[in-house]
Amino acid sequence: MDFIRFENVEREYHVGGHVIKAVDGISFGIRKGTVNVVLGQSGAGKTTVLNLIGGMDSPTKGRIIVDGQEISSMSEYELTTFRRNKIGFVFQFYNLVPNLTVLENVQLAKEICSDPLDSKEMLIKVGLEHRLDNFPSQISGGEQQRVSIARALAKNPQIVLCDEPTGALDSVTGRKVLRLICDAAYSMGKTVIIVTHNAMIAHMADTVIHMKDGKIAGIEYNDEQMDAEAIVW
Amino acid sequence: MVVHSLFTKSIRDMRKSKVQFISIFIMAVLSVTIVTGLDSMWKTIGEQTDIMYAASEISDMWVNISNPSEKELWSISRTKGVELAEKRFVINALTGLEGRPTLKIYTISRSSRLDRPIIQQGGLKSRGGAIIDSSFAKEHGLKINDTIELKVNGRWTGFKIEGLAMSSEHIYSVKGTTTIIPDPQKYGFIIISEDMLKSIYGQKIYNQVCIKLSAGADAAAVEAEIDKVLGDNLIGIVKRGEDSSTNNVWSNISQFRTLAAIFPLMFFIVTALITQSTMLRLVENQRGQIGILKALGYTKGRILWHYTSYGMYMGLLGAIVGLLLGPNLFGRVLIPWLKLTLADDRILVNYTNFIFSLILILICTGGISLYACLRLLRDSPSMLLRDKPPKEGKHIFLEALPKLWNRMRFSRKLIARNTLRNKLRMAMSIIGITGCTGLVVAALTLTVMVNGIAGHAYETTYKYDQKILLDEKVDSRFIRNIRLDGTVTQIAETAAAVISPDGSRTMKMLSVFPQDSPLIRLTDMDGNLVRLAEDGITITRKLAETLKVKAGDSIQIKRTDGSYVYAPIRQIIYMATGQGIFMTDEYYESMGETFKPTAILVKWNNKPDRAFLQSDNVDEYVDRVSQMKDVKASTRVVYIAAVLLIFMGGILAFVVLYNSSMLNFSERIRDLTTLKVLGFYQKEIRSLVLTENILSVISGSILGVPVGKVIADIIARGLDDQMDLVSRISFQTVAVSGAITLVFALIINGIAARKMKNIDMLESLKSVE
């Protein structure tokens, strides 16, 4: 039984009178507790897939089922509730609230969900126990991304969505961040979906979904995942 | 070409931040409208009346006198400091017109030079002719060659109307005790020839000397000298500025001058703050563009002017619109409500202050823009082209109180940090809301105060059915003997000369009646009942203020025989309208005077005694109910003022709140998007942005109350010399103003919330701006 299932999902955008099919009738399934990479060139529709899973966007056609719930037919309010309780996000540009300290940024997520984990513990887990009272502007990019991961995990979500999590980081820091995400996912049983254009990252995933022009070009299953820190790019 | 492309850029930039620039424009319009509007009011009144005073050669003082001898007149004209003295006869007379309106008769001779009527049509041609008040004539449909009947010296005499005129003594034309607001239906003036009066009375008769002082003369010395010369023949001296017309004109002028000086200040500050926050954001968002311009080789001055011009355009445009709006809105709408009879309906504009306010508004808009831009221009082009460093978070003082801070929710912490980071914007909102609440409080307080006048005078104080003015021949004994069927209080109302402790002389209203009249209930400031003192006088609060006296002081009152007696002030009472001196008939007689009623107050047991009212013992009578109605009708101007004030308050609140929420929103759109993605509900996000508004609404509303009281006081003080308006900020006023402000705030929050609803999560997350 797939934890996340796409059935003939289509997403159209109207841009200046043109209709663009960002996602063009795709179907696939993702199992619970796995690490998945959606791979593709820019414009392939991978971010749209991520947004659709996260309930930030709704398909124009088809069904999306997450954990037995059909999110494709949910209202705006239901989608917000869904995000609140089930989804953790890690963004390319971290998106920390500049006016809150590191600890507060993590606690912020905790404030709104039903079953949060301890914020401090999460920050210790990502190795930031000495940065609790700093503001985002006072720490490095890698550290900010770690805060962002801690924030995503503190919500205790079932799914962690990462949009180019290493896009703004150097390779050493990027690897560390990826490792952190994977370790956390396995140890806590989270389902992780990473969207990237970096083919190297694919080696660390259980499943790799290749996308091209809004369609699925192929799905690979890795039996042997490479350690994140061994990836070279 | 270069200028052209930059200009195009500024127009496009402004279009992008439409709302902010419209706000700056509206505030500029409002500020200049208020300055030029209020200025045009006093300027118009001042200049128009000056022209009238000059045209009629208005006197500097009027000496009321009984039966002056030629010798006395001669000595007055020879007094040092008197340039010209002319005698005339002045008396109120009933007319035969419907409603029995009163006309004040003035005599004039061929050689009269002072207090000439300002002729509008015709002129005095024959001995039996008359020049009549043009407003009165218009109201009653009288035309030249009509005849008007007047009761003079106990008989009805017809006068042929030969001319229509205005009088500089009747710019604000009120009869005195029974009315407080001019009503040409009921009162006006008529000018007849001295010779005609002589034939009515059978002899030459005078009761007033008009005096023009020579330049630099000491009015007080002249007064003292005249008092000495005339002795018991002197009834009193009224100086220019003390009579109801010139006094009202003067207080109107000074009221609007004060308002024009302090009132717009708030609007200028808000304009500056709005410009500041708008331009700072615009310039900061255009860091890169400034860098490009610099890199392209534009000079610093040119770039500075480019950004300064944004504010300049708005300020200049706003000032011009304000100049057009102000005099028309205030002058044309409000001046007619002041019930002044002015030479024409021209509205004059005070260009000096307009230029001054133009400069001020350009500083508030252009100057502030310049300042915002200067700060950025210090950086080098390469630095400017790089991305803006992210805004730093800062610890705030609240965190020093861990007990409080740790108990706050994160959204609250976020709000606290944000608010404190944008202190100026918060200041803008608070000042704006303070202004709004202030204006609403002022409007309501004023309405309550003015509405209270009629009630206080004709419900709280006076309890009679009718006030009946008696003919001269009627005395106290006569009234007692006719035994009217009702409760009767005899009252003597006269103008008396008084000298206050500092030596200044004035004419004040003296009311004498029995101590325990059930028809007059005097009250003190707190509304407690006050009985007239037996061994002294009682004066009204506002009079005490004018005379600079307090209970326990003594003033001198002139007796009929010309000598002055000291009268101790025993108590101060509150009268909303009709300021004066009150005493019992017994105390009056103990001063050596004879009590002779000029009027009676009657509460009828059954129907009014028609026969008595129609008899020649009665000059005139008026119902308390209709007096009350008149006052209420005549004070309706205050509603116009109130609506105007509330309207301005609304604009102020709208502009500042809308601006601050939009700025707040667009500055933090990234944060808000993140929160939305994290799963914050729409209403939680909304509250993050709008709580700041609520905070400023609450603090502004509190600060606005005293501001409103000050505004109301200034307006009330200038209303009329006879009215004593005490601004009491009641709980209801505060509650209603708070509610009105809140309604404004809620409407704006609603609009802002709707704008906020469409955050595009996907777009704003993509990249750093």
Side-chain angles (χ1 to χ4, degrees), chain A residues 175-219:
Chain A
R175 272 190 292 248
K176 280 187 178 150
V177 162
L178 281 177
R179 167 136 199 210
L180 199 59
I181 295 171
C182 293
D183 286 355
Y186 289 128
S187 68
M188 297 164 75
K190 308 291 179 204
T191 306
V192 177
I193 298 166
I194 301 168
V195 158
T196 182
H197 65 275
N198 187 340
M200 300 310 289
I201 293 177
H203 298 301
M204 54 171 275
D206 295 298
T207 314
V208 183
I209 300 168
H210 293 271
M211 285 196 73
K212 201 175 179 189
D213 299 332
K215 291 192 164 79
I216 290 177
I219 299 179

Side-chain angles (χ1 to χ4, degrees), chain B residues 366-661:
Chain B
I368 296 281
S369 308
L370 182 72
Y371 167 75
C373 191
L374 264 180
R375 300 209 316 196
L376 265 189
L377 227 54
R378 272 186 235 127
D379 295 343
S380 68
S382 60
M383 270 171 77
L384 288 171
L385 283 171
R386 234 176 284 144
D387 267 335
K388 177 171 64 170
K391 265 192 191 160
E392 275 181 30
K394 252 200 223 145
H395 290 289
I396 56 168
F397 69 91
L398 276 177
E399 291 168 62
L401 311 162
K403 264 196 187 147
L404 177 70
W405 185 252
N406 290 334
R407 276 171 59 186
M408 277 167 80
R409 291 178 54 196
F410 293 97
S411 36
R412 298 262 179 283
K413 288 183 185 175
L414 194 55
I415 291 164
R417 285 220 184 95
N418 262 314
T419 307
L420 290 169
R421 193 164 69 183
N422 286 298
K423 292 191 196 74
L424 265 176
R425 193 165 66 210
M426 189 71 179
M428 168 182 90
S429 311
I430 293 179
I431 293 175
I433 297 299
T434 304
C436 171
T437 314
L439 291 170
V440 176
V441 167
L444 294 179
T445 309
L446 214 59
T447 315
V448 171
M449 277 195 286
V450 172
N451 276 344
I453 297 173
H456 188 270
Y458 297 111
E459 273 170 358
T460 312
T461 308
Y462 295 115
K463 305 283 185 189
Y464 55 82
D465 289 333
Q466 284 180 319
K467 178 174 184 174
I468 301 165
L469 301 183
L470 301 171
D471 193 81
E472 242 174 286
K473 63 175 181 275
V474 178
D475 62 10
S476 185
R477 178 200 301 264
F478 176 84
I479 293 296
R480 272 199 303 273
N481 288 346
I482 55 170
R483 297 187 181 282
L484 292 168
D485 182 21
T487 314
V488 177
T489 292
Q490 301 188 13
I491 178 167
E493 289 172 319
T494 51
V498 300
I499 304 178
S500 44
D502 66 2
S504 58
R505 293 150 193 269
T506 43
M507 295 282 285
K508 289 297 163 207
M509 209 57 206
L510 194 66
S511 301
V512 184
F513 48 85
Q515 191 181 32
D516 286 315
S517 166
L519 301 182
I520 305 173
R521 298 169 68 83
L522 302 174
T523 50
D524 66 8
M525 290 299 292
D526 303 320
N528 304 317
L529 209 60
V530 172
R531 278 178 86 203
L532 283 183
E534 285 161 19
D535 55 348
I537 59 171
T538 300
I539 69 172
T540 55
R541 193 197 73 98
K542 189 153 186 181
L543 182 61
E545 213 170 67
T546 341
L547 297 178
K548 299 184 198 73
V549 293
K550 53 184 190 307
D553 292 348
S554 286
I555 56 169
Q556 296 178 66
I557 299 177
K558 186 159 198 177
R559 294 195 299 194
T560 332
D561 69 0
S563 62
Y564 284 94
V565 289
Y566 276 96
I569 299 165
R570 291 291 174 220
Q571 50 207 0
I572 309 283
I573 55 163
Y574 174 73
M575 286 287 256
T577 175
Q579 309 304 314
I581 301 165
F582 296 83
M583 62 176 76
T584 64
D585 50 350
E586 281 164 18
Y587 184 75
Y588 188 62
E589 302 222 312
S590 79
M591 279 167 54
E593 300 283 7
T594 317
F595 177 69
K596 179 174 175 296
T598 56
I600 52 173
L601 309 178
V602 185
K603 188 166 184 68
W604 300 104
N605 287 340
N606 296 302
K607 282 195 166 162
D609 186 339
R610 288 261 150 234
F612 173 72
L613 291 175
Q614 303 294 342
S615 72
D616 64 356
N617 296 317
V618 171
D619 259 356
E620 195 191 344
Y621 59 90
V622 58
D623 293 351
R624 181 176 53 90
V625 178
S626 75
Q627 278 179 302
M628 184 149 102
K629 229 185 273 167
D630 284 354
V631 173
K632 278 192 173 157
S634 60
T635 48
R636 251 179 234 140
V637 59
V638 78
Y639 294 117
I640 302 283
V643 168
L644 210 63
L645 289 176
I646 293 178
F647 181 67
M648 288 194 294
I651 294 182
L652 200 57
F654 194 89
V655 167
V656 297
L657 286 184
Y658 189 77
N659 247 283
S660 76
S661 26

